[in-house]
Amino acid sequence: MKLLQRGKAKSVYASGDGTVTIEFRDDITAGNGAKHDVLKGKGSLLNAINEIFFKELSSHAVPNHYFESISENSFKARKVDIIPLEIVVRNYSAGSFCKRYGIETGKKIGPIVEFFIKNDALNDPLVCKDVVVKLNVSTIETLNKAEKLALKVNNVISEFSENHGLILADFKIEVGFHDGELLVSDEITPDTCRFWDVKTHESLDKDVYRQSVGDPLIAYKEVLRRLSS
Ligand code: TMP
């Protein structure tokens, strides 16, 4: 298969039939690649968690790129023209929100939607819709659609997670067009979401790695165990 793109933790291949194959590698990175490790088995864990969430979206008719898992660590998806934005939905304060606004972690703040332009050299700056439009990154119509889509994803994934003992504190999605339709793309995993234990608010996501407070594989296995039970 032809490699189309090698990201920090995933590789995208042309499947040959017009679809793409997305492979979760065992790489884990933080701080825009400043920290990097390889955790054996991480790719297959994320592939399994991602499958659960995208199937949940499909069962609620939320348009998305996912077809099916095709190996332990890869899945088949529609090829989309990705909009170079990270769309973040926050239910509880955490991460860059706390740093930016001087707020403590764990306050109910949402749902609120933020847009970040994907640009490693600029560290993905936070932008408002007007700036996205002025920079010709997207149109206001598409941004409004993307925002609605992100909030739908939040409803579906929050409820599902909570039913399995996990608070969805925040997450990031990417969206793209396929045949004129805006689809949720990329991944929905503990690499791109903050999951907290419902009772203790213990982190079960990439914060374990970002903050070096434990073994991320143990957290990811626990997320998969809960979502599968
Ligand atoms: P943040 O608090 O660092 O802005 O992150 C918000 C959420 O978005 C968090 O769940 C992690 C996710 N995220 C990514 O998946 N990729 C990224 O590059 C960034 C900045 C955040």
Side-chain angles (χ1 to χ4, degrees), residues 83-99:
I83 298 169
L85 287 177
E86 308 215 322
I87 304 166
V88 170
V89 180
R90 299 184 191 271
N91 296 308
Y92 288 85
S93 58
S96 74
F97 189 90
C98 294
K99 280 202 191 116

Side-chain angles (χ1 to χ4, degrees), residues 41-56:
K42 178 199 174 233
S44 59
L45 277 171
L46 288 199
N47 192 45
I49 294 169
N50 189 57
E51 176 177 17
I52 291 171
F53 283 130
F54 272 96
K55 284 191 171 164
E56 191 61 19

Side-chain angles (χ1 to χ4, degrees), residues 86 88 90 94-96 124 170-172 191-194 210:
E86 308 215 322
V88 170
R90 299 184 191 271
S96 74
D124 298 341
D170 64 24
F171 66 96
K172 182 253 334 189
D191 266 10
T192 59
C193 302
R194 285 194 171 95
R210 291 187 189 97

Side-chain angles (χ1 to χ4, degrees), residues 36-213:
H36 172 241
D37 285 281
V38 176
L39 303 176
K40 200 169 165 359
K42 178 199 174 233
S44 59
L45 277 171
L46 288 199
N47 192 45
I49 294 169
N50 189 57
E51 176 177 17
I52 291 171
F53 283 130
F54 272 96
K55 284 191 171 164
E56 191 61 19
L57 289 184
S58 295
S59 78
H60 286 81
V62 179
N64 68 78
H65 74 154
Y66 194 88
F67 280 127
E68 58 184 345
S69 178
I70 53 171
S71 78
E72 265 222 327
N73 66 344
S74 68
F75 69 97
K76 203 178 220 216
R78 286 185 183 82
K79 191 172 192 315
V80 301
D81 288 323
I82 285 280
I83 298 169
L85 287 177
E86 308 215 322
I87 304 166
V88 170
V89 180
R90 299 184 191 271
N91 296 308
Y92 288 85
S93 58
S96 74
F97 189 90
C98 294
K99 280 202 191 116
R100 192 174 306 114
Y101 302 115
I103 289 170
E104 64 189 277
T105 302
K107 297 270 169 228
K108 182 87 178 94
I109 52 162
I112 58 174
V113 180
E114 293 176 337
F115 296 97
F116 297 82
I117 290 185
K118 276 165 79 85
N119 184 325
D120 281 345
L122 297 176
N123 262 322
D124 298 341
L126 174 68
V127 283
C128 64
K129 287 184 192 173
D130 285 349
V131 169
V132 178
V133 173
K134 272 284 177 262
L135 296 178
N136 289 321
V137 172
S138 188
T139 64
I140 192 68
E141 292 77 18
T142 298
L143 288 172
N144 289 337
K145 265 190 211 160
E147 192 168 41
K148 271 194 192 150
L149 205 48
L151 288 169
K152 257 194 220 169
V153 172
N154 188 45
N155 283 341
V156 172
I157 301 303
S158 281
E159 188 181 341
F160 185 82
S161 300
E162 215 144 295
N163 288 340
H164 292 83
L166 297 166
I167 289 172
L168 179 64
D170 64 24
F171 66 96
K172 182 253 334 189
I173 56 164
E174 296 186 24
V175 299
F177 280 106
H178 175 87
D179 280 349
E181 193 184 10
L182 195 63
L183 304 181
V184 180
S185 306
D186 195 49
E187 67 179 289
I188 301 176
T189 69
D191 266 10
T192 59
C193 302
R194 285 194 171 95
F195 294 113
W196 296 342
D197 178 87
V198 272
K199 289 201 187 107
T200 64
H201 281 205
E202 176 199 359
S203 288
L204 293 164
D205 54 56
K206 199 159 91 171
D207 272 352
V208 171
Y209 178 73
R210 291 187 189 97
Q211 297 165 8
S212 306
V213 289

